[in-house]
Amino acid sequence: MSGAVWRCCPVREVIYADLPVEMQEELHQQAAQIRAARGEYTAAAYHLHRRSDDAAVELWYSQRTPEINRGRGGAALAVFSQISQRRLAFPGSANSCCSSVPNSTS
């Protein structure tokens, strides 16, 4: 079929929706670790956010300058605009909600 585009995303979404929540969270954790190990911190933050892990903020914040310089600021904004302002406490502050960050060096 010349010019046709096959879209796998609807199939992926159906399969994903059928997974137990615990499996979805585990898969997002694994994806976050892989992405962080590759230096893809905005993508890692997305996956941490999808599993409701407050470490998303701390992980991305620590790498914000290189991520913004790589043109990933807009993607980060899309992720963090979905998070309550109360959960977006400045990392390292007394109000910080972040307690753990995946080890991106291992």
Side-chain angles (χ1 to χ4, degrees), residues 53-67:
D53 190 332
D54 290 332
V57 177
E58 192 169 340
L59 172 67
W60 190 85
Y61 188 81
S62 69
Q63 298 295 325
R64 69 193 180 283
T65 301
E67 286 295 280

Side-chain angles (χ1 to χ4, degrees), residues 51-88:
R51 69 181 304 267
S52 300
D53 190 332
D54 290 332
V57 177
E58 192 169 340
L59 172 67
W60 190 85
Y61 188 81
S62 69
Q63 298 295 325
R64 69 193 180 283
T65 301
E67 286 295 280
I68 291 168
N69 290 341
R70 291 181 189 119
R72 297 178 184 151
L77 179 61
V79 171
F80 296 124
S81 67
Q82 299 172 35
I83 300 175
S84 162
Q85 291 296 311
R86 282 180 279 211
R87 289 181 55 211
L88 289 177

